[in-house]
Amino acid sequence: AQRVTQPEKLLSVFKGAPVELKCNYSYSGSPELFWYVQYSRQRLQLLLRHISRESIKGFTADLNKGETSFHLKKPFAQEEDSAMYYCALNESEGGYNKLIFGAGTRLAVHP
Amino acid sequence: KAGVTQTPRYLIKTRGQQVTLSCSPISGHRSVSWYQQTPGQGLQFLFEYFSETQRNKGNFPGRFSGRQFSNSRSEMNVSTLELGDSALYLCASSLLGTERNIQYFGAGTRLSVL
């Protein structure tokens, strides 16, 4: 079955420290992966997706098909990065949309 | 552009009742998906609609249903409510083409079943 695993419920770091939020997936096809973020009192929003290969707010994520991972990284965490982060896999055939979400990791950045 | 709008924001119902939630997608978006979010199960896919047709469905009982209108607005209905249906219900819309799989989420409808 398709699955997304985020092993850490909470990741607590100090400002300026590097951050890595882990995400592993299982999918039989060619995966389409995303990171979504939810800041306090805001709606869920896209942070980045693997096909874009871009850096958003200093975050990057590389798809590693050998390790079936899509870890989210940032070299220097900021307090405003504190939020809930969800890794998601689009289980889509023919362009349909069906996101399979991980359980989420809460990132807390302390001053 | 206005974002995805969900109404109502909050609902309180009792067991056995039925409920209808509404979602207005971003203008021009034709795909609407619904998700259920609970502390125990996290975010789970309910169904997706495109051009008034259900294209995909998650593992939920038949009490959960939905529809989409010609203007792409969507509703989901839950009949014979159970306590376990208490959740945040999220709607997301997306565009076709290269952006097709980016989903834009609404603020959600929080349903409490007493």
Side-chain angles (χ1 to χ4, degrees), chain A residues 36 43-45 97-99 101, chain B residues 3-6 22-26 29-36 43 45-50 68 72 74 76 89-95 100-108:
Chain A
Y36 279 83
R43 59 187 65 189
L44 198 60
Q45 59 186 283
N97 292 308
K98 179 181 178 181
L99 286 175
F101 284 92
Chain B
V4 177
T5 304
Q6 293 188 245
S22 181
C23 172
S24 293
I26 292 172
H29 286 195
R30 296 169 63 190
S31 167
V32 174
S33 301
W34 289 89
Y35 295 84
Q36 182 196 64
L43 280 153
F45 173 80
L46 278 157
F47 27 64
E48 185 213 11
Y49 286 87
F50 178 79
Q68 187 180 33
S72 294
S74 178
M76 69 163 280
Y89 290 88
L90 296 174
C91 167
S93 72
S94 64
L95 189 65
R100 73 176 185 276
N101 288 333
I102 296 177
Q103 298 197 39
Y104 297 85
F105 284 83

Side-chain angles (χ1 to χ4, degrees), chain A residues 25-98:
Chain A
Y25 68 90
S26 64
Y27 186 57
S28 56
S30 183
E32 186 174 15
L33 288 152
F34 303 82
W35 277 98
Y36 279 83
V37 61
Q38 189 166 30
Y39 300 101
S40 179
R41 298 190 192 88
Q42 294 188 28
R43 59 187 65 189
L44 198 60
Q45 59 186 283
L46 177 70
L47 181 61
L48 52 80
R49 52 179 179 158
H50 88 272
I51 62 173
S52 299
R53 302 184 66 81
E54 58 193 345
S55 173
I56 303 292
K57 298 184 179 183
F59 285 97
T60 58
D62 289 319
L63 176 62
N64 185 323
K65 291 187 179 180
E67 296 183 358
T68 60
S69 68
F70 188 56
H71 303 328
L72 183 68
K73 299 178 184 178
K74 184 168 183 177
F76 307 104
Q78 303 300 314
E79 289 179 68
E80 55 265 30
D81 296 329
S82 296
M84 195 73 183
Y85 291 80
Y86 294 95
C87 182
L89 168 73
N90 194 20
E91 186 190 293
S92 69
E93 297 296 334
Y96 301 169
N97 292 308
K98 179 181 178 181

